[in-house]
Amino acid sequence: MTNPLETSSVHLRISGRVQGVYYRASMLQRAQHLGLSGWVMNRPDGWVEAVAEGSRPKLEELIAWCHQGPEGARVAGVDAQWQSPVNGFVGFAIRR
Protein backbone atom coordinates (compact mmCIF):
# COMPACT_ATOMS: atom_id res chain seq x y z
CA MET A 1 0.00 0.00 0.00
CA THR A 2 1.26 3.47 -0.89
CA ASN A 3 1.90 5.99 1.87
CA PRO A 4 -0.59 8.86 1.22
CA LEU A 5 1.95 11.39 2.52
CA GLU A 6 4.65 10.38 0.02
CA THR A 7 5.19 12.81 -2.82
CA SER A 8 3.27 11.86 -5.93
CA SER A 9 3.06 13.54 -9.32
CA VAL A 10 0.30 13.90 -11.89
CA HIS A 11 0.38 15.22 -15.46
CA LEU A 12 -2.93 16.86 -16.38
CA ARG A 13 -4.48 17.81 -19.72
CA ILE A 14 -7.78 19.66 -19.53
CA SER A 15 -10.01 20.20 -22.56
CA GLY A 16 -13.07 22.31 -23.22
CA ARG A 17 -13.57 26.03 -22.79
CA VAL A 18 -10.57 26.43 -20.52
CA GLN A 19 -8.64 29.32 -22.06
CA GLY A 20 -9.65 32.94 -21.56
CA VAL A 21 -11.64 32.11 -18.40
CA TYR A 22 -8.85 32.49 -15.76
CA TYR A 23 -8.37 28.72 -15.59
CA ARG A 24 -4.58 28.97 -15.11
CA ALA A 25 -4.81 31.68 -12.45
CA SER A 26 -7.54 29.78 -10.63
CA MET A 27 -5.55 26.54 -10.76
CA LEU A 28 -2.51 28.40 -9.43
CA GLN A 29 -4.53 29.62 -6.44
CA ARG A 30 -6.06 26.18 -5.84
CA ALA A 31 -2.68 24.42 -6.04
CA GLN A 32 -1.09 26.95 -3.68
CA HIS A 33 -3.99 26.51 -1.25
CA LEU A 34 -3.41 22.74 -1.35
CA GLY A 35 0.35 23.14 -0.83
CA LEU A 36 1.25 21.62 -4.21
CA SER A 37 4.18 22.43 -6.47
CA GLY A 38 4.44 22.37 -10.25
CA TRP A 39 3.18 24.42 -13.18
CA VAL A 40 0.22 25.14 -15.46
CA MET A 41 0.16 26.51 -19.02
CA ASN A 42 -2.09 27.11 -22.03
CA ARG A 43 -1.36 24.90 -25.01
CA PRO A 44 -1.64 26.08 -28.63
CA ASP A 45 -4.31 23.39 -29.24
CA GLY A 46 -6.69 25.08 -26.75
CA TRP A 47 -6.06 22.68 -23.89
CA VAL A 48 -4.59 23.53 -20.49
CA GLU A 49 -1.65 21.39 -19.36
CA ALA A 50 -0.24 21.05 -15.86
CA VAL A 51 2.10 19.01 -13.73
CA ALA A 52 1.50 18.96 -9.99
CA GLU A 53 3.37 17.30 -7.15
CA GLY A 54 2.45 16.73 -3.53
CA SER A 55 0.59 14.23 -1.42
CA ARG A 56 -1.77 11.98 -3.36
CA PRO A 57 -4.89 13.09 -1.42
CA LYS A 58 -4.13 16.76 -2.22
CA LEU A 59 -3.49 15.91 -5.88
CA GLU A 60 -6.81 14.08 -6.01
CA GLU A 61 -8.48 17.24 -4.65
CA LEU A 62 -6.86 19.25 -7.45
CA ILE A 63 -8.00 16.73 -10.05
CA ALA A 64 -11.57 16.94 -8.71
CA TRP A 65 -11.38 20.75 -8.95
CA CYS A 66 -10.09 20.49 -12.55
CA HIS A 67 -13.33 18.80 -13.63
CA GLN A 68 -15.21 22.00 -12.75
CA GLY A 69 -12.61 24.77 -12.97
CA PRO A 70 -13.41 28.42 -12.40
CA GLU A 71 -16.71 30.12 -13.17
CA GLY A 72 -16.96 30.54 -16.93
CA ALA A 73 -15.06 27.36 -17.76
CA ARG A 74 -16.77 24.46 -19.49
CA VAL A 75 -14.56 21.45 -18.92
CA ALA A 76 -15.04 18.68 -21.47
CA GLY A 77 -12.43 16.31 -20.10
CA VAL A 78 -9.54 15.84 -17.70
CA ASP A 79 -6.78 13.41 -18.56
CA ALA A 80 -4.72 12.61 -15.44
CA GLN A 81 -1.59 10.50 -15.81
CA TRP A 82 0.23 9.53 -12.62
CA GLN A 83 4.01 9.65 -12.95
CA SER A 84 7.16 9.54 -10.86
CA PRO A 85 7.77 12.82 -9.01
CA VAL A 86 10.58 15.11 -10.15
CA ASN A 87 10.85 16.86 -6.76
CA GLY A 88 12.44 19.79 -8.60
CA PHE A 89 9.65 22.34 -8.37
CA VAL A 90 9.66 25.28 -6.01
CA GLY A 91 6.08 26.42 -5.54
CA PHE A 92 3.46 26.43 -8.28
CA ALA A 93 3.78 28.69 -11.33
CA ILE A 94 2.08 29.69 -14.57
CA ARG A 95 4.24 28.92 -17.58
CA ARG A 96 3.95 31.01 -20.72
Side-chain angles (χ1 to χ4, degrees):
M1 183 171 207
T2 305
N3 179 348
L5 299 179
E6 281 183 13
T7 299
S8 295
S9 181
V10 66
H11 180 233
L12 300 162
R13 287 180 17 111
I14 302 103
S15 64
R17 183 172 176 237
V18 292
Q19 291 191 13
V21 293
Y22 300 100
Y23 199 99
R24 290 176 304 156
S26 297
M27 181 185 273
L28 171 73
Q29 291 175 348
R30 188 71 182 153
Q32 288 174 335
H33 173 76
L34 293 169
L36 302 173
S37 60
W39 54 266
V40 61
M41 66 181 271
N42 283 340
R43 293 180 40 92
D45 59 9
W47 292 52
V48 167
E49 181 177 16
V51 171
E53 292 189 352
S55 72
R56 187 153 184 139
K58 296 296 184 181
L59 291 170
E60 289 171 351
E61 283 186 56
L62 181 67
I63 294 167
W65 177 89
C66 286
H67 284 275
Q68 179 180 353
E71 187 176 328
R74 284 192 217 113
V75 178
V78 177
D79 177 43
Q81 299 293 320
W82 294 97
Q83 58 190 20
S84 297
V86 175
N87 294 317
F89 301 116
V90 177
F92 201 90
I94 294 175
R95 286 191 177 172
R96 308 259 178 241

mmCIF file of all heavy atoms in Angstrom, residues 8-15 23 27 36 47-53 56 58-67 75-84:
data_model
loop_
_atom_site.group_PDB
_atom_site.id
_atom_site.type_symbol
_atom_site.label_atom_id
_atom_site.label_comp_id
_atom_site.label_asym_id
_atom_site.label_seq_id
_atom_site.Cartn_x
_atom_site.Cartn_y
_atom_site.Cartn_z
ATOM 1 N N SER A 8 3.740 12.450 -4.686
ATOM 2 C CA SER A 8 3.269 11.864 -5.932
ATOM 3 C C SER A 8 3.263 12.969 -6.976
ATOM 4 O O SER A 8 3.407 14.145 -6.660
ATOM 5 C CB SER A 8 1.851 11.307 -5.770
ATOM 6 O OG SER A 8 1.839 10.236 -4.861
ATOM 7 N N SER A 9 3.076 12.577 -8.227
ATOM 8 C CA SER A 9 3.056 13.543 -9.317
ATOM 9 C C SER A 9 1.989 13.150 -10.321
ATOM 10 O O SER A 9 1.778 11.963 -10.588
ATOM 11 C CB SER A 9 4.429 13.593 -9.998
ATOM 12 O OG SER A 9 4.435 14.545 -11.046
ATOM 13 N N VAL A 10 1.315 14.154 -10.882
ATOM 14 C CA VAL A 10 0.302 13.896 -11.894
ATOM 15 C C VAL A 10 0.467 14.910 -13.032
ATOM 16 O O VAL A 10 0.736 16.082 -12.794
ATOM 17 C CB VAL A 10 -1.126 13.934 -11.296
ATOM 18 C CG1 VAL A 10 -1.506 15.310 -10.799
ATOM 19 C CG2 VAL A 10 -2.148 13.392 -12.278
ATOM 20 N N HIS A 11 0.357 14.392 -14.262
ATOM 21 C CA HIS A 11 0.381 15.218 -15.464
ATOM 22 C C HIS A 11 -1.062 15.356 -15.924
ATOM 23 O O HIS A 11 -1.756 14.350 -16.117
ATOM 24 C CB HIS A 11 1.242 14.555 -16.540
ATOM 25 C CG HIS A 11 1.310 15.337 -17.809
ATOM 26 N ND1 HIS A 11 1.004 14.778 -19.014
ATOM 27 C CD2 HIS A 11 1.649 16.620 -18.058
ATOM 28 C CE1 HIS A 11 1.149 15.696 -19.960
ATOM 29 N NE2 HIS A 11 1.539 16.818 -19.400
ATOM 30 N N LEU A 12 -1.530 16.596 -16.067
ATOM 31 C CA LEU A 12 -2.927 16.865 -16.385
ATOM 32 C C LEU A 12 -3.059 17.534 -17.743
ATOM 33 O O LEU A 12 -2.256 18.404 -18.091
ATOM 34 C CB LEU A 12 -3.545 17.781 -15.329
ATOM 35 C CG LEU A 12 -3.549 17.247 -13.907
ATOM 36 C CD1 LEU A 12 -3.772 18.370 -12.911
ATOM 37 C CD2 LEU A 12 -4.613 16.179 -13.769
ATOM 38 N N ARG A 13 -4.085 17.128 -18.479
ATOM 39 C CA ARG A 13 -4.476 17.807 -19.717
ATOM 40 C C ARG A 13 -5.980 18.028 -19.624
ATOM 41 O O ARG A 13 -6.738 17.066 -19.472
ATOM 42 C CB ARG A 13 -4.108 16.976 -20.944
ATOM 43 C CG ARG A 13 -2.615 16.992 -21.205
ATOM 44 C CD ARG A 13 -2.181 16.190 -22.419
ATOM 45 N NE ARG A 13 -3.200 15.844 -23.381
ATOM 46 C CZ ARG A 13 -3.282 16.358 -24.621
ATOM 47 N NH1 ARG A 13 -2.415 17.233 -25.040
ATOM 48 N NH2 ARG A 13 -4.237 15.956 -25.437
ATOM 49 N N ILE A 14 -6.375 19.297 -19.708
ATOM 50 C CA ILE A 14 -7.780 19.662 -19.529
ATOM 51 C C ILE A 14 -8.294 20.252 -20.829
ATOM 52 O O ILE A 14 -7.694 21.174 -21.380
ATOM 53 C CB ILE A 14 -7.944 20.666 -18.366
ATOM 54 C CG1 ILE A 14 -7.386 20.069 -17.066
ATOM 55 C CG2 ILE A 14 -9.399 21.033 -18.177
ATOM 56 C CD1 ILE A 14 -6.051 20.581 -16.663
ATOM 57 N N SER A 15 -9.418 19.722 -21.312
ATOM 58 C CA SER A 15 -10.007 20.201 -22.564
ATOM 59 C C SER A 15 -11.350 20.865 -22.304
ATOM 60 O O SER A 15 -11.960 20.687 -21.253
ATOM 61 C CB SER A 15 -10.181 19.039 -23.537
ATOM 62 O OG SER A 15 -11.096 18.100 -23.022
ATOM 63 N N TYR A 23 -8.587 30.095 -16.059
ATOM 64 C CA TYR A 23 -8.365 28.724 -15.588
ATOM 65 C C TYR A 23 -6.983 28.587 -14.958
ATOM 66 O O TYR A 23 -6.844 28.048 -13.869
ATOM 67 C CB TYR A 23 -8.535 27.723 -16.740
ATOM 68 C CG TYR A 23 -8.778 26.312 -16.264
ATOM 69 C CD1 TYR A 23 -10.053 25.788 -16.227
ATOM 70 C CD2 TYR A 23 -7.729 25.508 -15.819
ATOM 71 C CE1 TYR A 23 -10.290 24.502 -15.782
ATOM 72 C CE2 TYR A 23 -7.953 24.226 -15.368
ATOM 73 C CZ TYR A 23 -9.237 23.730 -15.346
ATOM 74 O OH TYR A 23 -9.458 22.460 -14.884
ATOM 75 N N MET A 27 -6.258 27.767 -11.135
ATOM 76 C CA MET A 27 -5.546 26.541 -10.763
ATOM 77 C C MET A 27 -4.333 26.885 -9.903
ATOM 78 O O MET A 27 -4.040 26.162 -8.943
ATOM 79 C CB MET A 27 -5.107 25.743 -11.979
ATOM 80 C CG MET A 27 -4.389 24.446 -11.584
ATOM 81 S SD MET A 27 -3.721 23.511 -12.966
ATOM 82 C CE MET A 27 -5.143 22.537 -13.398
ATOM 83 N N LEU A 36 0.643 22.389 -3.134
ATOM 84 C CA LEU A 36 1.253 21.619 -4.210
ATOM 85 C C LEU A 36 2.314 22.438 -4.928
ATOM 86 O O LEU A 36 2.302 23.663 -4.891
ATOM 87 C CB LEU A 36 0.177 21.186 -5.212
ATOM 88 C CG LEU A 36 -0.955 20.345 -4.630
ATOM 89 C CD1 LEU A 36 -2.035 20.111 -5.668
ATOM 90 C CD2 LEU A 36 -0.422 19.025 -4.087
ATOM 91 N N TRP A 47 -6.022 23.399 -25.154
ATOM 92 C CA TRP A 47 -6.060 22.680 -23.889
ATOM 93 C C TRP A 47 -5.265 23.446 -22.838
ATOM 94 O O TRP A 47 -4.459 24.317 -23.160
ATOM 95 C CB TRP A 47 -5.439 21.295 -24.040
ATOM 96 C CG TRP A 47 -6.204 20.333 -24.899
ATOM 97 C CD1 TRP A 47 -6.647 20.551 -26.171
ATOM 98 C CD2 TRP A 47 -6.589 19.017 -24.568
ATOM 99 N NE1 TRP A 47 -7.283 19.432 -26.640
ATOM 100 C CE2 TRP A 47 -7.257 18.474 -25.688
ATOM 101 C CE3 TRP A 47 -6.423 18.233 -23.435
ATOM 102 C CZ2 TRP A 47 -7.774 17.183 -25.697
ATOM 103 C CZ3 TRP A 47 -6.930 16.938 -23.456
ATOM 104 C CH2 TRP A 47 -7.612 16.435 -24.570
ATOM 105 N N VAL A 48 -5.450 23.088 -21.582
ATOM 106 C CA VAL A 48 -4.588 23.530 -20.489
ATOM 107 C C VAL A 48 -3.816 22.297 -20.032
ATOM 108 O O VAL A 48 -4.388 21.208 -19.919
ATOM 109 C CB VAL A 48 -5.402 24.141 -19.323
ATOM 110 C CG1 VAL A 48 -4.553 24.313 -18.078
ATOM 111 C CG2 VAL A 48 -5.996 25.476 -19.741
ATOM 112 N N GLU A 49 -2.523 22.477 -19.803
ATOM 113 C CA GLU A 49 -1.654 21.386 -19.364
ATOM 114 C C GLU A 49 -1.033 21.765 -18.033
ATOM 115 O O GLU A 49 -0.719 22.941 -17.800
ATOM 116 C CB GLU A 49 -0.564 21.147 -20.405
ATOM 117 C CG GLU A 49 0.374 20.015 -20.067
ATOM 118 C CD GLU A 49 1.406 19.770 -21.161
ATOM 119 O OE1 GLU A 49 1.604 20.645 -22.033
ATOM 120 O OE2 GLU A 49 2.022 18.692 -21.127
ATOM 121 N N ALA A 50 -0.841 20.792 -17.164
ATOM 122 C CA ALA A 50 -0.243 21.051 -15.860
ATOM 123 C C ALA A 50 0.481 19.818 -15.350
ATOM 124 O O ALA A 50 0.142 18.688 -15.719
ATOM 125 C CB ALA A 50 -1.316 21.467 -14.852
ATOM 126 N N VAL A 51 1.459 20.059 -14.503
ATOM 127 C CA VAL A 51 2.104 19.007 -13.728
ATOM 128 C C VAL A 51 2.057 19.478 -12.286
ATOM 129 O O VAL A 51 2.410 20.627 -11.988
ATOM 130 C CB VAL A 51 3.565 18.764 -14.169
ATOM 131 C CG1 VAL A 51 4.272 17.835 -13.198
ATOM 132 C CG2 VAL A 51 3.611 18.197 -15.580
ATOM 133 N N ALA A 52 1.588 18.616 -11.410
ATOM 134 C CA ALA A 52 1.502 18.964 -9.994
ATOM 135 C C ALA A 52 2.101 17.854 -9.154
ATOM 136 O O ALA A 52 1.968 16.671 -9.488
ATOM 137 C CB ALA A 52 0.046 19.195 -9.589
ATOM 138 N N GLU A 53 2.769 18.260 -8.079
ATOM 139 C CA GLU A 53 3.370 17.303 -7.155
ATOM 140 C C GLU A 53 2.967 17.642 -5.731
ATOM 141 O O GLU A 53 2.806 18.799 -5.372
ATOM 142 C CB GLU A 53 4.898 17.314 -7.275
ATOM 143 C CG GLU A 53 5.385 16.783 -8.588
ATOM 144 C CD GLU A 53 6.889 16.582 -8.655
ATOM 145 O OE1 GLU A 53 7.608 16.991 -7.722
ATOM 146 O OE2 GLU A 53 7.345 16.011 -9.662
ATOM 147 N N ARG A 56 -0.732 12.505 -2.455
ATOM 148 C CA ARG A 56 -1.768 11.978 -3.356
ATOM 149 C C ARG A 56 -3.167 12.499 -2.999
ATOM 150 O O ARG A 56 -3.918 12.877 -3.900
ATOM 151 C CB ARG A 56 -1.724 10.456 -3.380
ATOM 152 C CG ARG A 56 -2.678 9.912 -4.433
ATOM 153 C CD ARG A 56 -2.260 8.591 -4.956
ATOM 154 N NE ARG A 56 -3.167 8.191 -6.005
ATOM 155 C CZ ARG A 56 -2.777 7.620 -7.106
ATOM 156 N NH1 ARG A 56 -1.512 7.387 -7.322
ATOM 157 N NH2 ARG A 56 -3.652 7.246 -8.013
ATOM 158 N N LYS A 58 -4.038 15.366 -1.768
ATOM 159 C CA LYS A 58 -4.131 16.760 -2.220
ATOM 160 C C LYS A 58 -4.187 16.826 -3.742
ATOM 161 O O LYS A 58 -4.909 17.648 -4.317
ATOM 162 C CB LYS A 58 -2.956 17.593 -1.700
ATOM 163 C CG LYS A 58 -2.931 17.725 -0.191
ATOM 164 C CD LYS A 58 -4.129 18.477 0.329
ATOM 165 C CE LYS A 58 -4.030 18.676 1.832
ATOM 166 N NZ LYS A 58 -5.185 19.381 2.383
ATOM 167 N N LEU A 59 -3.440 15.963 -4.420
ATOM 168 C CA LEU A 59 -3.494 15.909 -5.882
ATOM 169 C C LEU A 59 -4.871 15.469 -6.356
ATOM 170 O O LEU A 59 -5.397 15.991 -7.344
ATOM 171 C CB LEU A 59 -2.408 14.982 -6.427
ATOM 172 C CG LEU A 59 -0.979 15.480 -6.258
ATOM 173 C CD1 LEU A 59 0.014 14.386 -6.614
ATOM 174 C CD2 LEU A 59 -0.721 16.728 -7.086
ATOM 175 N N GLU A 60 -5.468 14.524 -5.642
ATOM 176 C CA GLU A 60 -6.813 14.079 -6.009
ATOM 177 C C GLU A 60 -7.831 15.205 -5.824
ATOM 178 O O GLU A 60 -8.777 15.330 -6.604
ATOM 179 C CB GLU A 60 -7.187 12.834 -5.214
ATOM 180 C CG GLU A 60 -6.402 11.612 -5.683
ATOM 181 C CD GLU A 60 -6.563 10.387 -4.810
ATOM 182 O OE1 GLU A 60 -7.150 10.481 -3.707
ATOM 183 O OE2 GLU A 60 -6.088 9.312 -5.237
ATOM 184 N N GLU A 61 -7.619 16.055 -4.816
ATOM 185 C CA GLU A 61 -8.483 17.235 -4.645
ATOM 186 C C GLU A 61 -8.336 18.179 -5.831
ATOM 187 O O GLU A 61 -9.322 18.736 -6.318
ATOM 188 C CB GLU A 61 -8.138 17.986 -3.352
ATOM 189 C CG GLU A 61 -8.662 17.358 -2.093
ATOM 190 C CD GLU A 61 -8.407 18.239 -0.881
ATOM 191 O OE1 GLU A 61 -8.845 19.413 -0.890
ATOM 192 O OE2 GLU A 61 -7.759 17.760 0.068
ATOM 193 N N LEU A 62 -7.093 18.383 -6.291
ATOM 194 C CA LEU A 62 -6.863 19.251 -7.446
ATOM 195 C C LEU A 62 -7.518 18.667 -8.690
ATOM 196 O O LEU A 62 -8.164 19.399 -9.454
ATOM 197 C CB LEU A 62 -5.363 19.456 -7.679
ATOM 198 C CG LEU A 62 -5.014 20.373 -8.865
ATOM 199 C CD1 LEU A 62 -5.456 21.813 -8.573
ATOM 200 C CD2 LEU A 62 -3.527 20.325 -9.163
ATOM 201 N N ILE A 63 -7.384 17.373 -8.887
ATOM 202 C CA ILE A 63 -8.005 16.732 -10.050
ATOM 203 C C ILE A 63 -9.522 16.912 -10.012
ATOM 204 O O ILE A 63 -10.149 17.232 -11.024
ATOM 205 C CB ILE A 63 -7.622 15.237 -10.131
ATOM 206 C CG1 ILE A 63 -6.124 15.094 -10.413
ATOM 207 C CG2 ILE A 63 -8.454 14.521 -11.190
ATOM 208 C CD1 ILE A 63 -5.584 13.687 -10.206
ATOM 209 N N ALA A 64 -10.121 16.742 -8.847
ATOM 210 C CA ALA A 64 -11.571 16.938 -8.712
ATOM 211 C C ALA A 64 -11.941 18.375 -9.069
ATOM 212 O O ALA A 64 -12.938 18.614 -9.768
ATOM 213 C CB ALA A 64 -12.018 16.587 -7.292
ATOM 214 N N TRP A 65 -11.129 19.341 -8.615
ATOM 215 C CA TRP A 65 -11.378 20.748 -8.949
ATOM 216 C C TRP A 65 -11.270 20.963 -10.463
ATOM 217 O O TRP A 65 -12.063 21.713 -11.038
ATOM 218 C CB TRP A 65 -10.392 21.658 -8.209
ATOM 219 C CG TRP A 65 -10.561 23.089 -8.583
ATOM 220 C CD1 TRP A 65 -11.394 23.998 -8.001
ATOM 221 C CD2 TRP A 65 -9.918 23.788 -9.661
ATOM 222 N NE1 TRP A 65 -11.313 25.200 -8.658
ATOM 223 C CE2 TRP A 65 -10.410 25.094 -9.680
ATOM 224 C CE3 TRP A 65 -8.980 23.416 -10.615
ATOM 225 C CZ2 TRP A 65 -9.990 26.049 -10.604
ATOM 226 C CZ3 TRP A 65 -8.565 24.359 -11.545
ATOM 227 C CH2 TRP A 65 -9.063 25.655 -11.536
ATOM 228 N N CYS A 66 -10.312 20.319 -11.113
ATOM 229 C CA CYS A 66 -10.092 20.488 -12.551
ATOM 230 C C CYS A 66 -11.326 20.134 -13.372
ATOM 231 O O CYS A 66 -11.562 20.714 -14.432
ATOM 232 C CB CYS A 66 -8.909 19.642 -13.022
ATOM 233 S SG CYS A 66 -7.299 20.276 -12.532
ATOM 234 N N HIS A 67 -12.130 19.207 -12.902
ATOM 235 C CA HIS A 67 -13.327 18.804 -13.634
ATOM 236 C C HIS A 67 -14.366 19.921 -13.686
ATOM 237 O O HIS A 67 -15.224 19.916 -14.569
ATOM 238 C CB HIS A 67 -13.945 17.544 -13.018
ATOM 239 C CG HIS A 67 -13.185 16.309 -13.350
ATOM 240 N ND1 HIS A 67 -13.369 15.601 -14.510
ATOM 241 C CD2 HIS A 67 -12.206 15.655 -12.673
ATOM 242 C CE1 HIS A 67 -12.564 14.565 -14.538
ATOM 243 N NE2 HIS A 67 -11.832 14.574 -13.439
ATOM 244 N N VAL A 75 -15.536 22.524 -18.790
ATOM 245 C CA VAL A 75 -14.556 21.445 -18.918
ATOM 246 C C VAL A 75 -15.196 20.259 -19.627
ATOM 247 O O VAL A 75 -16.230 19.751 -19.199
ATOM 248 C CB VAL A 75 -14.013 21.025 -17.532
ATOM 249 C CG1 VAL A 75 -13.036 19.869 -17.663
ATOM 250 C CG2 VAL A 75 -13.346 22.219 -16.842
ATOM 251 N N ALA A 76 -14.558 19.835 -20.720
ATOM 252 C CA ALA A 76 -15.043 18.678 -21.468
ATOM 253 C C ALA A 76 -14.380 17.395 -20.985
ATOM 254 O O ALA A 76 -14.988 16.329 -21.017
ATOM 255 C CB ALA A 76 -14.789 18.870 -22.960
ATOM 256 N N GLY A 77 -13.131 17.504 -20.546
ATOM 257 C CA GLY A 77 -12.433 16.311 -20.102
ATOM 258 C C GLY A 77 -11.164 16.640 -19.338
ATOM 259 O O GLY A 77 -10.566 17.697 -19.533
ATOM 260 N N VAL A 78 -10.790 15.733 -18.459
ATOM 261 C CA VAL A 78 -9.542 15.839 -17.701
ATOM 262 C C VAL A 78 -8.810 14.519 -17.842
ATOM 263 O O VAL A 78 -9.331 13.481 -17.448
ATOM 264 C CB VAL A 78 -9.803 16.149 -16.206
ATOM 265 C CG1 VAL A 78 -8.494 16.170 -15.424
ATOM 266 C CG2 VAL A 78 -10.561 17.458 -16.042
ATOM 267 N N ASP A 79 -7.626 14.580 -18.437
ATOM 268 C CA ASP A 79 -6.777 13.405 -18.562
ATOM 269 C C ASP A 79 -5.708 13.516 -17.494
ATOM 270 O O ASP A 79 -4.911 14.469 -17.515
ATOM 271 C CB ASP A 79 -6.148 13.346 -19.955
ATOM 272 C CG ASP A 79 -5.193 12.172 -20.106
ATOM 273 O OD1 ASP A 79 -5.532 11.070 -19.643
ATOM 274 O OD2 ASP A 79 -4.105 12.371 -20.669
ATOM 275 N N ALA A 80 -5.692 12.599 -16.540
ATOM 276 C CA ALA A 80 -4.724 12.609 -15.439
ATOM 277 C C ALA A 80 -3.848 11.374 -15.538
ATOM 278 O O ALA A 80 -4.351 10.245 -15.474
ATOM 279 C CB ALA A 80 -5.453 12.644 -14.099
ATOM 280 N N GLN A 81 -2.558 11.583 -15.720
ATOM 281 C CA GLN A 81 -1.589 10.496 -15.814
ATOM 282 C C GLN A 81 -0.643 10.572 -14.624
ATOM 283 O O GLN A 81 0.109 11.558 -14.493
ATOM 284 C CB GLN A 81 -0.794 10.602 -17.118
ATOM 285 C CG GLN A 81 -1.642 10.504 -18.370
ATOM 286 C CD GLN A 81 -2.254 9.137 -18.558
ATOM 287 O OE1 GLN A 81 -1.606 8.129 -18.313
ATOM 288 N NE2 GLN A 81 -3.499 9.098 -18.995
ATOM 289 N N TRP A 82 -0.674 9.562 -13.764
ATOM 290 C CA TRP A 82 0.230 9.527 -12.617
ATOM 291 C C TRP A 82 1.631 9.199 -13.116
ATOM 292 O O TRP A 82 1.799 8.388 -14.026
ATOM 293 C CB TRP A 82 -0.242 8.506 -11.589
ATOM 294 C CG TRP A 82 -1.551 8.918 -10.981
ATOM 295 C CD1 TRP A 82 -2.798 8.493 -11.361
ATOM 296 C CD2 TRP A 82 -1.743 9.867 -9.941
ATOM 297 N NE1 TRP A 82 -3.751 9.115 -10.603
ATOM 298 C CE2 TRP A 82 -3.139 9.970 -9.718
ATOM 299 C CE3 TRP A 82 -0.898 10.641 -9.165
ATOM 300 C CZ2 TRP A 82 -3.698 10.813 -8.765
ATOM 301 C CZ3 TRP A 82 -1.450 11.484 -8.210
ATOM 302 C CH2 TRP A 82 -2.823 11.562 -8.016
ATOM 303 N N GLN A 83 2.623 9.855 -12.533
ATOM 304 C CA GLN A 83 4.013 9.647 -12.946
ATOM 305 C C GLN A 83 4.934 9.755 -11.742
ATOM 306 O O GLN A 83 4.502 10.151 -10.657
ATOM 307 C CB GLN A 83 4.400 10.669 -14.018
ATOM 308 C CG GLN A 83 4.244 12.119 -13.563
ATOM 309 C CD GLN A 83 4.396 13.124 -14.688
ATOM 310 O OE1 GLN A 83 4.253 12.797 -15.855
ATOM 311 N NE2 GLN A 83 4.694 14.355 -14.335
ATOM 312 N N SER A 84 6.177 9.418 -11.936
ATOM 313 C CA SER A 84 7.163 9.541 -10.857
ATOM 314 C C SER A 84 7.432 11.014 -10.593
ATOM 315 O O SER A 84 7.568 11.802 -11.533
ATOM 316 C CB SER A 84 8.473 8.860 -11.247
ATOM 317 O OG SER A 84 8.266 7.484 -11.434
#
